[in-house]
Amino acid sequence: MKFNQLTKIFALALLVTVTACKKYGYEIPDGYPDNSQNVAEGTIDTNMKMIDKSMYSKARVFPGLVDQSEPRVKDVQFTLDLNFTDQTAQNLRISVAPSPQYSTGFYAAPGELIKIVVPAGVDGLTVQIGAHTDNLSGKFPLLRDPIIYNRKQLVSGVNYIRNLYGGHIYILATFAYANPVTFTITGAVVSPDFILGQTTDADWVAKVKASQVPWLELRAKRVIFTIPRDKVIASFNSNEPFTNPTAVFTKWNDVFDLDYNAWMGLSDNAADIRDRSPQSQWRGILDIQLSLGSGHSGFPFVGTNDAYWFASFTSLNSLNTSAGQWGTYHEFGHNCQQGSIWSWSTLGETTNNLFSFKVANRIGANYNILHPAVSSGFPESIAYASGTGVKNFDTDAFMTDPDRGPFKRMTPFVQIFEKFGYGAMTYLYSQARHAERLNSNDITKHNFVYEKLSDYTKIDLAPFFDAWGISISDAVAMKVASKYPILTAQTWTYNPLNKTGGTAAISFAPGVTVSSNQSNEGSPAAMLDNNTATYWHSQYNPAPTAAQSYPYTIVYSENKRMSVKGMYFFPRNTTAQRVKNIEILVSSDNVNFTSVGTTQIPNAFSRYEFTFPNGPAIGKFFKVLLKDGWNTPVASFPNAAMAELGVIK
């Protein structure tokens, strides 16, 4: 998007410059007479017969030369519909959006001058030669020169441009024109492109065989791939010849229509521009060397020029099974991530991959074959979520493994999609586009996902987030709890790979844990049985050490967050072990506790209620710290007992 903004500024600056140059006598053949009588101090390269061969040796390596036998066009017209809506990444709240880059169907041979005539009154356009825009500056060793494309601002009238490496010719627009614009081009060659709905398979195969142009484009409404002609030719004699682009790109259109745009809640005619599909196509390209990895996101997305990536662009079998498509879906998924709203910092290599599951779900593909780490990572992560103890989804070593961690983190999202519908992602994306403000930290992004998914399911999903160790704010949890019933099934145990599990009931029965217990006299559960004759008793045989004596702790929980205004206590019907001074602390994770008040339990066999002095406390765990007893000194009477306790909601 920076490119769009800079181009607009650049366009205005160039228009001013062109006017100034004309005023001061520079001879720019723009179709208008120059009567200034000033002598030009510079010249424009207009010699169509001169070929600059200074980079032939490097262009031969990449992207390739164009044979002299390939016909160069002269005064050929082409028309482009530049009436686009400038759909930006800011509007969509995604990482990268397609920009208005228009394929002309022409290719410039290395070092040869191209002449383009622009109609009068058409401004704000740029011509680009070269599809390979990945900048390899700083890479070593280099397999090709770092920068092999160039751009030039167009003016009304005659324009000239050459690229020493050659490449496809594009028109870049900074603003829209209501009516189609017709250009005239000279000096280029015709690229053997395939255009879905316009080119037949047989005609395209014939064009590719007859052409000497090293690169071609495969164009559909939603996506354009740029691939080398030699790989297409080689495929004709392979086990899966690429002679069926109509079938392949019909599938690609479906993927972007249904599994990217529609899944994100975008449509062509949405009233709100934020919900409108990008009108420019997504682009993907193969290159012999990349600035990063074997594939990386961006516009265009770039994949390595090898058999795997070529097949991921062109294999119908791969599209029909989703096997082999992980890389392409992965990189386009990066473009579509909503990191400013909900995809938090540890999900960088996770949420982009969810699109693979959407495609697989639609076509009925086996999730186990999407990626080797899925079939092992999902069961392992389900075991993690099903375990007890304190968990942290973002920092636990089990989840942060650089190779397998991203696959483990996909599991809760796919569980939600499988159990509640893939529309959950559509709702999440749509809500993110319409959010009033960006979320600046991970906890606010956690909260956003929790709240919006709960809104979508009409269920309070707090137990699900707790099971996965995805921290959420207590205030947001109570807001959601006030609207929806709490989740009652252990959804985090569902296995999307075999469609089993996730149905066991969640227990919300009150429970307590204690720091000390006399096993043969009373039990912690006795404090929850509504019977004042039964009780919990601290350990006395064998005699406790000083560390096992006061202060004792009792932790009460109902396995869900609650708004609690106080607690009640009923001492044992004996004076020997009566607790005196206590402190109550609250926590949502059973690790980080905050004090909510101190009090003194009366020395009487009766119910005592303590209202928290600063108002209701929100938490999942309520710790009662028993500091001492009515019998003193503590060293002589180290034991404690309690008949009943509970929270006052």
Side-chain angles (χ1 to χ4, degrees):
M1 289 308 98
K2 289 182 180 178
F3 164 71
N4 271 349
Q5 296 165 352
L6 291 175
T7 304
K8 291 176 181 177
I9 296 170
F10 186 58
L12 293 174
L14 260 290
L15 289 174
V16 173
T17 304
V18 168
T19 303
C21 289
K22 185 176 174 184
K23 177 180 178 182
Y24 291 106
Y26 291 96
E27 187 178 350
I28 296 178
D30 57 5
Y32 298 94
D34 179 8
N35 298 318
S36 67
Q37 304 302 313
N38 291 332
V39 178
E41 296 179 5
T43 59
I44 302 298
D45 183 3
T46 61
N47 186 352
M48 300 292 293
K49 294 183 179 180
M50 195 277 287
I51 301 176
D52 187 339
K53 299 182 179 180
S54 60
M55 289 294 176
Y56 256 33
S57 60
K58 294 185 176 181
R60 188 190 308 275
V61 173
F62 193 84
L65 302 179
V66 178
D67 195 276
Q68 289 299 310
S69 65
E70 191 71 28
R72 272 60 172 174
V73 301
K74 182 178 181 181
D75 296 329
V76 171
Q77 291 187 331
F78 64 94
T79 301
L80 298 177
D81 181 1
L82 305 180
N83 190 19
F84 65 93
T85 299
D86 191 13
Q87 184 62 297
T88 66
Q90 287 90 339
N91 284 340
L92 300 175
R93 297 271 174 85
I94 61 177
S95 300
V96 178
S99 61
Q101 175 177 329
Y102 294 88
S103 298
T104 65
F106 295 99
Y107 193 97
E112 297 187 22
L113 195 63
I114 304 300
K115 174 183 173 183
I116 298 177
V117 181
V118 179
V122 176
D123 301 312
L125 301 180
T126 298
V127 59
Q128 173 181 310
I129 296 182
H132 297 88
T133 55
D134 212 5
N135 187 338
L136 306 185
S137 298
K139 298 287 288 187
F140 182 83
L142 283 170
L143 302 182
R144 66 160 173 86
D145 271 3
I147 301 175
I148 59 173
Y149 76 100
N150 64 333
R151 292 175 180 152
K152 183 178 180 180
Q153 190 73 26
L154 292 173
V155 297
S156 296
V158 180
N159 301 263
Y160 296 91
I161 185 172
R162 77 170 81 232
N163 183 340
L164 299 182
Y165 304 89
H168 278 103
I169 301 171
Y170 303 99
I171 301 297
L172 313 181
T174 55
F175 45 82
Y177 285 89
N179 299 315
V181 178
T182 298
F183 303 83
T184 303
I185 190 167
T186 298
V189 297
V190 177
S191 175
D193 296 349
F194 171 82
I195 305 175
L196 184 64
Q198 298 182 30
T199 314
T200 67
D201 290 351
D203 287 346
W204 176 73
V205 169
K207 282 200 306 182
V208 171
K209 289 180 177 179
S211 178
Q212 297 299 314
V213 179
W215 289 80
L216 58 91
E217 291 194 329
L218 307 167
R219 291 190 254 160
K221 180 180 180 181
R222 300 300 186 192
V223 65
I224 296 175
F225 288 140
T226 304
I227 60 175
R229 174 182 169 273
D230 61 355
K231 277 191 165 49
V232 176
I233 293 292
S235 80
F236 292 161
N237 297 316
S238 69
N239 292 331
E240 188 180 1
F242 181 43
T243 56
N244 54 349
T246 297
V248 171
F249 277 80
T250 297
K251 293 285 186 182
W252 270 117
N253 252 359
D254 287 344
V255 167
F256 279 93
D257 267 333
L258 303 174
D259 306 315
Y260 284 82
N261 288 344
W263 200 34
M264 292 188 290
L266 304 175
S267 60
D268 288 344
N269 301 311
D272 193 319
I273 190 174
R274 292 173 293 183
D275 299 322
R276 204 168 297 167
S277 303
Q279 293 183 328
S280 300
Q281 293 106 324
W282 291 102
R283 289 180 177 270
I285 191 168
L286 302 181
D287 202 331
I288 61 170
Q289 189 173 15
L290 280 62
S291 59
L292 181 67
S294 64
H296 69 73
S297 58
F299 185 77
F301 138 70
V302 187
T304 303
N305 187 23
D306 59 19
Y308 169 81
W309 288 103
F310 177 78
S312 74
F313 284 8
T314 62
S315 168
L316 185 62
N317 178 64
S318 180
L319 283 164
N320 282 334
T321 62
S322 285
Q325 289 302 111
W326 190 270
T328 47
Y329 295 162
H330 173 102
E331 300 302 349
F332 282 119
H334 270 310
N335 287 344
C336 294
Q337 284 176 300
Q338 290 185 316
S340 63
I341 303 294
W342 66 268
S343 185
W344 58 86
S345 63
T346 62
L347 300 179
E349 294 298 327
T350 293
T351 52
N352 60 313
N353 292 311
L354 299 178
F355 293 91
S356 292
F357 292 92
K358 172 58 173 67
V359 180
N361 176 264
R362 176 175 59 83
I363 67 177
N366 185 346
Y367 293 175
N368 285 282
I369 65 173
L370 297 182
H371 192 284
V374 169
S375 58
S376 58
F378 273 36
E380 291 172 357
S381 60
I382 292 169
Y384 165 84
S386 302
T388 58
V390 179
K391 289 170 279 190
N392 190 308
F393 184 84
D394 295 321
T395 62
D396 283 350
F398 176 82
M399 300 297 287
T400 57
D401 173 63
D403 295 322
R404 295 162 62 81
F407 297 90
K408 297 172 185 175
R409 290 197 182 103
M410 294 172 209
T411 314
F413 292 96
V414 180
Q415 287 176 330
I416 292 293
F417 301 153
E418 290 282 305
K419 295 295 285 184
F420 298 104
Y422 276 76
M425 186 76 142
T426 309
Y427 186 81
L428 192 59
Y429 263 82
S430 299
Q431 289 293 305
R433 285 194 302 277
H434 292 267
E436 293 182 0
R437 62 183 63 86
L438 305 182
N439 290 320
S440 59
N441 56 60
D442 281 356
I443 188 62
T444 57
K445 295 175 184 180
H446 290 186
N447 288 338
F448 185 89
V449 175
Y450 159 62
E451 184 173 3
K452 298 309 176 184
L453 291 182
S454 294
D455 286 341
Y456 174 77
T457 61
K458 299 293 187 288
I459 297 171
D460 179 5
L461 296 175
F464 181 82
F465 280 72
D466 289 342
W468 279 104
I470 303 173
S471 57
I472 54 178
S473 298
D474 290 335
V476 176
M478 294 312 300
K479 174 185 173 183
V480 172
S482 69
K483 295 191 292 183
Y484 308 117
I486 199 163
L487 179 72
T488 58
Q490 298 179 28
T491 309
W492 57 88
T493 65
Y494 174 77
N495 187 343
L497 303 181
N498 58 21
K499 318 296 184 187
T500 62
T503 59
I506 302 172
S507 173
F508 296 111
V512 290
T513 59
V514 295
S515 61
S516 173
N517 183 63
Q518 184 64 38
S519 59
N520 64 343
E521 183 178 354
S523 72
M527 291 185 285
L528 307 175
D529 63 1
N530 294 315
N531 183 356
T532 58
T534 61
Y535 55 87
W536 157 78
H537 199 296
S538 63
Q539 177 188 318
Y540 60 82
N541 186 20
T545 64
Q548 294 172 319
S549 184
Y550 281 107
Y552 296 107
T553 59
I554 302 172
V555 179
Y556 175 96
S557 177
E558 293 183 19
N559 204 25
K560 61 183 178 183
R561 286 173 182 78
M562 300 177 290
S563 178
V564 172
K565 67 178 183 179
M567 292 192 72
Y568 67 86
F569 304 91
F570 209 116
R572 180 189 176 190
N573 190 15
T574 180
T575 59
Q577 301 91 22
R578 288 207 180 137
V579 175
K580 183 178 183 182
N581 293 297
I582 67 170
E583 181 178 7
I584 300 175
L585 305 95
V586 63
S587 171
S588 290
D589 59 10
N590 207 18
V591 175
N592 302 294
F593 282 87
T594 301
S595 177
V596 293
T598 60
T599 189
Q600 190 176 91
I601 300 176
N603 188 9
F605 181 58
S606 61
R607 177 179 168 121
Y608 168 66
E609 294 187 356
F610 172 59
T611 301
F612 299 152
N614 296 317
I618 299 172
K620 188 176 178 182
F621 301 93
F622 294 84
K623 179 189 289 186
V624 183
L625 184 64
L626 313 181
K627 296 182 176 182
D628 55 28
W630 281 100
N631 289 308
T632 57
V634 169
S636 302
F637 301 93
N639 298 314
M642 188 71 65
E644 294 290 318
L645 63 75
V647 295
I648 305 170
K649 300 179 183 178

